[in-house]
Amino acid sequence: MDEFCRVEWPERLRETGSIAAKGALRMGVPPLTLAVDGTSWTFVPEAGTIRAIRDQPGADLSARLDAAAFSELIDDHRSTLGLSVAGRIELTGGDGGDLINWDVVLRAALDGQAVFEPGSIALQSREGALLDLTRRFQRDTDPSELRAFLQPAGFLCIESVFTGDEMQRVSDDLDSAAHAATPDDGTSWWVRTKAGTRRPSRILNFLRQSTHLQALVKDGRFLGLGAIPGHGHVHSDSFGEHFAEPSAEGLVKPVGVTEGISDLGWHKDCARGGHSRFCCGLTIGIAVTDADEDSGELRVVAGSHRTNLPAAGLAEDVDLPVVAIPTRAGDVTIHCSCTLHEARPPRTKERKVVYTGFGLPPKFEDDEPTDIGALARDRANIGKMG
């Protein structure tokens, strides 16, 4: 940490200091002190730069982590949110929201990604016309047309990719997987409803348990979705994080949840870290049942994948459109892994959906393989935070 803060940080800030300082001012973050194995450095936003000061007392925002976690934070293997989920960073002073907001400032400083400002993102077609964000596409739509919408908007909805009968078989498999789940199995999230019933809301390893879904993800209708961007995406998982073993999660969204997590608020799928390494992945939502306002359909912030926004929450001054995406059973939604999105809680009827995805192929032959076990533990831990 000493070497990084003395040498690498100031060298990098010669190029990105003004971007990072502007972002810190916009986010309103206080100075951040990080204590690593007995050494502490404080990152202080100033005019035109962010200074790193050793052993600076009295910072309002402070956290403790070990050297490996600090390295992962700087290299964007993990964000502060990701380290928090994994229990690898301890907030010792200040507000956790400020700590998470520092993620976008760090990326501005280290990657040169300017923090979002209102008016900076235009949602236009190739011809310069405003995009019709309510548009829905057919399965036989030309991939170039799909790509021309996905690139600026960050999402798509394609109708009737799968049949109602196929979705019914997947639904039956999801019922069986939910019946077999237990609260301590490490592969499911659990909730309690107003009726006092405790039930699973998410089966993390659903692909392994559904022979019908296994057949569908090998079908050309599904594999063609990964070809839309034209960058060689391969089937991976719902976050686009790894290639060793494709996965899919089965979600059942009950009405009246009082305890536990069923619906996630505004977030990016790269919120736990890795944006610089694996984005943009494609998150694929397969509508097993219908979804609308009453059953808690998916909503996205159009264009949010194209800017450096906090990966959790949605500030009031973000001027990008919020788009609801109602679906019928068999429809597919696609959103970039760094598109801000949420699922609203169902009002009167529950729904079922499967999430899987496509990731970019590895960029570097010497890149370290993803720790699949750690990913599984992280995702299980998210379900325990509600």
Side-chain angles (χ1 to χ4, degrees):
M1 184 183 191
D2 272 340
E3 181 179 359
F4 171 80
C5 292
R6 291 185 191 281
V7 180
E8 296 184 48
W9 179 262
E11 286 183 354
R12 186 63 184 139
L13 269 288
R14 290 191 186 99
E15 298 181 10
T16 63
S18 60
I19 294 174
K22 187 177 182 181
L25 177 64
R26 169 158 175 74
M27 298 304 300
V29 292
L32 168 64
T33 294
L34 294 178
V36 178
D37 298 340
T39 300
S40 70
W41 284 79
T42 301
F43 298 87
V44 183
E46 296 181 351
T49 192
I50 297 179
R51 263 203 313 153
I53 305 172
R54 197 179 196 279
D55 297 330
Q56 174 86 351
D60 292 333
L61 180 64
S62 59
R64 183 183 299 116
L65 63 167
D66 63 25
F70 176 76
S71 178
E72 291 181 29
L73 175 63
I74 296 305
D75 288 342
D76 199 19
H77 278 290
R78 302 273 186 154
S79 63
T80 58
L81 177 61
L83 292 172
S84 298
V85 169
R88 297 180 57 199
I89 189 170
E90 178 188 0
L91 184 68
T92 55
D95 182 78
D98 286 334
L99 181 64
I100 291 173
N101 285 340
W102 258 97
D103 282 325
V104 298
V105 179
L106 288 175
R107 289 345 314 163
L110 296 168
D111 303 333
Q113 299 175 9
V115 173
F116 169 80
E117 292 187 4
S120 61
I121 301 296
L123 293 165
Q124 297 176 333
S125 68
R126 288 175 294 188
E127 294 76 26
L130 290 178
L131 289 178
D132 177 7
L133 298 175
T134 65
R135 186 178 179 187
R136 304 168 69 84
F137 296 88
Q138 303 304 309
R139 185 161 58 87
D140 60 356
T141 301
D142 188 291
S144 66
E145 191 173 347
L146 298 173
R147 185 180 310 127
F149 186 91
L150 177 65
Q151 285 178 339
F155 73 95
L156 286 170
C157 180
I158 305 177
E159 296 180 327
S160 302
V161 176
F162 303 110
T163 68
D165 288 343
E166 288 171 327
M167 292 300 93
Q168 184 59 56
R169 289 191 284 272
V170 172
S171 178
D172 292 342
D173 285 350
L174 185 51
D175 288 343
S176 297
H179 181 74
T182 60
D184 59 353
D185 59 19
T187 59
S188 57
W189 295 3
W190 286 72
V191 298
R192 192 180 301 278
T193 66
K194 289 180 180 178
T197 304
R198 196 169 186 218
R199 55 185 294 190
S201 63
R202 186 178 297 228
I203 306 299
L204 303 180
N205 61 351
F206 181 54
L207 183 58
R208 297 182 187 178
Q209 302 185 55
S210 174
T211 56
H212 295 104
L213 183 60
Q214 290 167 18
L216 291 182
V217 298
K218 295 175 183 177
D219 190 290
R221 291 171 294 172
F222 175 79
L223 295 176
L225 303 174
I228 291 171
H231 294 299
H233 283 72
V234 296
H235 186 205
S236 56
D237 70 354
S238 57
F239 293 87
E241 289 179 328
H242 67 78
F243 314 91
E245 180 184 358
S247 67
E249 301 179 0
L251 284 63
V252 181
K253 297 181 173 293
V255 176
V257 171
T258 59
E259 179 183 320
I261 295 179
S262 173
D263 302 288
L264 292 172
W266 290 112
H267 68 284
K268 297 187 176 190
D269 290 330
C270 55
R272 291 177 293 115
H275 170 84
S276 305
R277 296 177 173 273
F278 63 74
C279 284
C280 280
L282 299 178
T283 300
I284 309 297
I286 302 173
V288 179
T289 61
D290 296 353
D292 55 23
E293 189 174 357
D294 288 331
S295 57
E297 82 276 66
L298 177 71
R299 298 201 304 170
V300 299
V301 178
S304 54
H305 64 305
R306 294 159 51 197
T307 188
N308 187 8
L309 275 170
L314 179 60
E316 293 182 358
D317 62 351
V318 174
D319 61 352
L320 299 175
V322 173
V323 183
I325 312 178
T327 51
R328 304 282 291 178
D331 293 352
V332 164
T333 62
I334 302 174
H335 65 264
C336 296
S337 53
C338 42
T339 296
L340 204 61
H341 60 284
E342 71 163 5
R344 289 187 288 187
R347 293 178 177 178
T348 60
K349 53 186 177 181
E350 68 179 43
R351 76 176 176 106
K352 296 176 182 176
V353 60
V354 167
Y355 281 111
T356 183
F358 292 86
L360 287 165
K363 301 175 187 176
F364 308 106
E365 291 182 357
D366 60 351
D367 208 2
E368 296 181 2
T370 302
D371 185 340
I372 305 303
L375 287 175
R377 289 190 295 272
D378 280 2
R379 294 179 189 177
N381 285 340
I382 294 172
K384 299 174 182 177
M385 297 175 70

